[in-house]
Amino acid sequence: MHENAPVLKATRRERVGSRYAQRIRSSGGLPVVLYGHGEEPTAAYVNAKEAISHFSKGEKVFQIELDGKNQIVLLKDLQFDYLGTNVVHADMARVDLNQRVHTRVPIHLVGEAIGLKTAGAILTHPTGELDIECRVVEIPDFIEVTVTDLEVGGLIHARDVALPEGFKLLTDGDSIVAAVSVAAEQATGEAAPAEGAAGAGPEVQSEKKAAERAEKKDTK
């Protein structure tokens, strides 16, 4: 995997702080911090457009070129702006290829659930990623989950997902990965009564009887 890991060229940051970080971002850079593996943390920056393009594709392992040397790093955390839309900082941990690490891997649902043939049935996907532990060299781009046999009312939990040998599931095993269900009113074919409909008949009858009594009183 590391041979195919994207390469990011990094430059050391001589000064740190929000003001200097903003200058770097304004010039097209993305501030990063490299840490771990028995070395002091290093403040640096990479090309923002290039790095964020890889992040959006789900890449997690990178080769960082810094000071003429290559090192393998694992993307650990991204920080966003106050709107939560733009990446403004990245934390990357230096790793050994055989080191076991905790990471998140996206889930890809495969196949068409048999339950979707039922009128009104929908497939939901509450958990889109799995927290796993594995060696850096074995981190997959995604994990496939087949939903073909999933019927109405059926669930696939995180614990049901088949992981490669040596992988450890860290996500709560009860987390729902996929489910097929039908909305209650669609299942019964009846719509819920409109608000205020209950009791409308008796109210009208009472008003009618009151009017009749008033009419008889006026004719006496």
Side-chain angles (χ1 to χ4, degrees):
M1 162 178 270
H2 65 288
E3 292 88 355
N4 300 320
V7 178
L8 296 176
K9 294 184 178 180
T11 303
R12 284 182 181 271
R13 284 187 282 157
E14 299 301 328
R15 296 180 177 180
V16 296
S18 58
R19 181 175 61 177
Y20 299 108
Q22 182 57 44
R23 289 180 182 176
I24 289 173
R25 287 190 286 267
S26 297
S27 61
L30 176 68
V32 300
V33 170
L34 311 176
Y35 65 93
H37 220 256
E39 299 181 35
E40 290 294 323
T42 300
Y45 66 90
V46 296
N47 181 281
K49 184 177 180 179
E50 182 182 2
I52 293 173
S53 174
H54 290 305
F55 300 160
S56 65
K57 295 175 184 176
E59 298 285 358
K60 291 182 172 61
V61 180
F62 295 88
Q63 298 182 66
I64 292 290
E65 285 187 7
L66 179 66
D67 298 337
K69 298 179 181 179
N70 269 30
Q71 49 191 307
I72 303 297
V73 299
L74 177 67
L75 178 64
K76 297 294 289 185
D77 185 51
L78 291 177
Q79 296 176 22
F80 293 82
D81 60 12
Y82 69 97
L83 293 175
T85 54
N86 299 314
V87 178
V88 297
H89 187 276
D91 287 339
M92 298 180 167
R94 305 181 187 96
V95 291
D96 181 280
L97 293 176
N98 290 313
Q99 179 181 342
R100 292 185 66 83
V101 294
H102 169 197
T103 187
R104 299 176 69 103
V105 179
I107 297 170
H108 286 189
L109 300 185
V110 179
E112 182 175 351
I114 191 172
L116 293 180
K117 295 180 180 179
T118 301
I122 58 172
L123 174 68
T124 55
H125 185 27
T127 301
E129 293 182 318
L130 289 182
D131 286 325
I132 62 170
E133 180 184 295
C134 66
R135 294 193 306 157
V136 173
V137 73
E138 295 173 333
I139 296 176
D141 294 327
F142 55 85
I143 294 174
E144 290 188 347
V145 176
T146 302
V147 298
T148 309
D149 297 330
L150 202 57
E151 300 181 352
V152 172
L155 301 171
I156 296 178
H157 294 94
R159 61 174 174 269
D160 301 323
V161 177
L163 296 177
E165 185 177 356
F167 280 48
K168 180 180 179 181
L169 178 67
L170 301 179
T171 296
D172 184 349
D174 290 330
S175 299
I176 298 175
V177 171
V180 175
S181 59
V182 178
E185 66 231 45
Q186 293 174 323
T188 61
E190 299 178 358
E195 184 178 353
E203 183 180 352
V204 172
Q205 290 295 327
S206 298
E207 290 177 355
K208 183 177 180 181
K209 289 180 179 179
E212 289 175 350
R213 287 196 298 268
E215 185 177 353
K216 289 179 181 180
K217 183 177 181 181
D218 291 339
T219 57
K220 287 182 179 179

